[in-house]
């Protein structure tokens, strides 16, 4: 029986060191230390041994049992520790992995262009102000020398706000930023130098160069002795900073009811250097904005003495500048929200 006990211990130790998981360990425990194990059987048979052998074999059997129990506990601790280490390793952060990119937004091309325009005028001493998009008919038309029935109103058809009562003054979505000329002059005496960027609305069919909602910028300078030379100097500087220092600028007569004289401002084509190409429609020139000397009647409307003060005003389309500078062929791309288009300006 002693031999059998020793052989059993040997076998148990070999298999214990091979057990790698807690399931294998449990199977081992049932097999070698469980109630139905061979060792328990042998212990139960002690009574049938001759009395002189009993103490010796009994002591050896009990010693083997407790030795196996100790070995089991040690093995169990080792397997648990290994499992914990594996779990920690699985959760570990690999600090050498490259980071995931964080999506970063960018300014809309129209916002970028407004900033570029206003930065140039700021550097020339102009203040930047904004005004209401919902405007009285008075500021959008009347005070700009465009009375009711004036044919120029057809050029700037707009969206009207339905009045709640017959007697209410007519309101509309402004068709240009020019109403701010009057608003500014009403609240400030000269000298005045402001630029007004903002959204404007027109009731017209959209196409590659026309939107019904778009942005303009307005400029106004009023003071004593302000002349057409000041207007030209300001626009020369602005146009060259915007379109390139080598550009030539052309002023041609044009009509806007709120300026006299009125001009349209052209720049020689920067694609062909004025020779004529498909970009400038073979003319060599590109029209970029309207301008003129503030009409005396507009000064009067705003409460400024036209005998003492004179001024100039100018205005242009923000998207038109982007179209021209980036050679984009359709204005509708700006507000179609196609991320592939917008990303090109990021
Ligand atoms: C005006 O709106 C005048 N208020 C400009 C002005 C200001 C003249 C001060 C004199 C003194 P006009 O209607 O031409 O003018 O519009 C000015 C610019 O707005 C145009 O040159 C064009 O670039 C842009 N624009 C006009 N209509 C549209 C449209 N439907 N879509 C996009 N841009 C437009």
């Amino acid at each position: 029986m002693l031999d059998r006990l020793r052989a059993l211990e040997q076998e148990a130790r070999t298999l214990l060191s091979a057990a790698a998981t807690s399931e294998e360990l449990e199977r081992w425990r049932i097999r070698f230390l469980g109630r139905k194990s061979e060792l328990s059987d042998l212990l139960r048979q002690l009574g049938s041994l001759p009395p002189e052998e009993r103490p010796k074999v009994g002591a050896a059997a009990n010693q083997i049992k407790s030795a196996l129990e100790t070995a089991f506990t040690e093995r169990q601790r080792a397997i648990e520790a290994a499992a914990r280490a594996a779990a920690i390793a699985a959760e570990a952060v690999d600090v050498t992995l490259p980071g995931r990119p964080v999506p970063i937004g960018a300014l809309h091309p129209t916002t970028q262009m407004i900033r570029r325009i206003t930065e140039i005028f700021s550097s020339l001493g102009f203040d930047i102000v904004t005004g209401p998009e919902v405007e009285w008919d008075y500021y959008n038309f009347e005070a700009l020398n465009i009375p009711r029935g004036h044919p120029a109103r057809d050029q700037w058809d707009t969206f009207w706000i339905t009045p709640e009562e017959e007697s209410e003054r007519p309101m509309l979505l402004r068709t240009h930023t020019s109403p701010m000329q009057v608003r500014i002059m009403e609240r400030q005496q000269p000298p005045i130098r402001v630029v007004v960027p903002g959204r404007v609305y027109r009731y017209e069919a959209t196409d590659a160069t026309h939107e019904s909602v778009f942005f303009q910028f307005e400029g106004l300078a009023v003071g004593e002795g302000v002349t057409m030379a000041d207007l030209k100097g300001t626009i020369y500087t602005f146009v060259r900073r915007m379109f390139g220092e080598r550009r030539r600028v052309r002023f041609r007569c044009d009509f806007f009811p709120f300026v006299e004289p009125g001009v349209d401002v052209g720049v020689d084509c920067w694609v062909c250097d004025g020779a004529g190409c498909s970009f400038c429609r073979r003319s060599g020139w590109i029209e970029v904005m309207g301008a003129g000397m503030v009409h005396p009647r507009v000064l009067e409307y705003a409460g400024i003495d036209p005998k003492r003060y004179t001024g100039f005003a100018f205005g242009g389309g923000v998207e038109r500048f982007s179209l021209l500078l980036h050679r984009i062929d359709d204005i509708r791309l700006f507000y179609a929200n196609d991320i592939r288009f917008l990303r090109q300006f990021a």
Side-chain angles (χ1 to χ4, degrees):
M1 196 171 203
L2 261 181
D3 289 346
R4 179 62 206 134
L5 278 169
R6 298 239 158 77
L8 193 62
E9 183 186 8
Q10 191 55 47
E11 187 193 357
R13 284 191 184 278
T14 311
L15 288 177
L16 185 63
S17 56
T21 64
S22 47
E23 291 79 27
E24 284 169 10
L25 197 63
E26 179 60 9
R27 278 199 293 277
W28 181 92
R29 190 192 64 74
I30 294 166
R31 177 166 166 193
F32 292 103
L33 296 173
R35 276 194 301 113
K36 292 181 184 162
S37 65
E38 194 179 342
L39 186 59
S40 301
D41 260 359
L42 291 173
L43 283 166
R44 273 192 291 274
Q45 288 165 30
L46 281 178
S48 59
L49 288 177
E52 62 280 13
E53 277 184 38
R54 244 180 259 163
K56 199 171 154 212
V57 178
N62 279 321
Q63 191 244 319
I64 287 171
K65 188 178 182 206
S66 77
L68 287 181
E69 277 167 355
T70 308
F72 170 81
T73 311
E74 276 168 12
R75 185 79 192 127
Q76 191 176 38
R77 281 203 195 113
I79 286 175
E80 278 169 8
R84 266 198 306 278
I88 289 168
E91 278 178 21
V93 177
D94 180 354
V95 291
T96 65
L97 278 178
R100 293 195 189 105
V102 179
I104 299 173
L107 292 177
H108 189 277
T110 298
T111 308
Q112 292 183 30
M113 184 52 75
I114 288 173
R115 291 196 179 183
R116 197 166 150 185
I117 293 166
T118 51
E119 269 162 26
I120 297 174
F121 284 112
S122 283
S123 76
L124 296 175
F126 283 76
D127 290 331
I128 312 301
V129 295
T130 55
E133 291 173 24
V134 180
E135 187 55 282
W136 298 110
D137 173 282
Y138 174 78
Y139 289 109
N140 197 83
F141 291 128
E142 297 273 344
L144 288 173
N145 200 26
I146 315 172
R148 221 160 281 189
H150 191 290
R153 285 201 177 210
D154 299 341
Q155 195 185 324
W156 292 301
D157 202 1
T158 187
F159 302 96
W160 293 88
I161 310 292
T162 312
E164 281 185 1
E165 283 171 37
E166 275 292 300
S167 58
E168 266 181 25
R169 289 187 294 156
M171 249 194 172
L172 46 81
L173 297 181
R174 66 179 177 189
T175 58
H176 50 180
T177 42
S178 300
M180 279 303 286
Q181 292 185 24
V182 184
R183 283 185 176 273
I184 289 158
M185 288 191 282
E186 272 182 352
R187 64 178 186 228
Q188 188 189 332
Q189 280 296 304
I192 295 170
R193 261 183 295 181
V194 288
V195 162
V196 187
R199 196 181 268 115
V200 300
Y201 303 79
R202 289 193 190 179
Y203 181 59
E204 58 180 275
T206 57
D207 60 26
T209 53
H210 295 88
E211 266 288 3
S212 51
V213 181
F214 60 99
F215 284 81
Q216 283 192 340
F217 65 94
E218 190 81 11
L220 175 72
V222 185
E224 274 180 281
V226 174
T227 69
M228 190 86 183
D230 299 307
L231 162 64
K232 289 177 82 174
T234 305
I235 288 184
Y236 268 118
T237 308
F238 169 70
V239 163
R240 285 180 177 158
R241 287 212 200 147
M242 179 61 75
F243 297 103
E245 289 302 325
R246 284 178 39 230
R247 299 279 55 93
R248 288 183 296 150
V249 185
R250 177 182 76 176
F251 294 88
R252 286 192 309 183
C253 276
D254 200 353
F255 175 73
F256 298 95
F258 34 92
V259 287
E260 181 57 35
V263 290
D264 92 58
V265 180
V267 183
D268 67 332
C269 178
W270 49 90
V271 176
C272 61
D273 253 343
C277 66
S278 60
F279 187 65
C280 57
R281 301 211 190 108
R282 314 263 157 233
S283 73
W285 294 94
I286 293 169
E287 285 169 25
V288 290
M289 53 206 276
M293 299 305 291
V294 180
H295 198 292
R297 216 172 285 156
V298 176
L299 293 174
E300 262 167 21
Y301 265 115
I304 288 184
D305 181 2
K307 292 199 191 76
R308 183 168 170 203
Y309 296 110
T310 48
F312 65 83
F314 52 86
V318 174
E319 292 87 349
R320 179 158 167 78
F321 278 25
S322 301
L323 291 173
L324 290 172
L325 281 168
H326 301 296
R327 297 200 219 164
I328 297 162
D329 53 17
D330 198 325
I331 191 173
R332 291 166 293 195
L333 287 166
F334 285 108
Y335 306 112
N337 267 340
D338 186 335
I339 201 79
R340 292 167 303 179
F341 173 76
L342 296 173
R343 257 202 201 117
Q344 298 174 66
F345 301 88

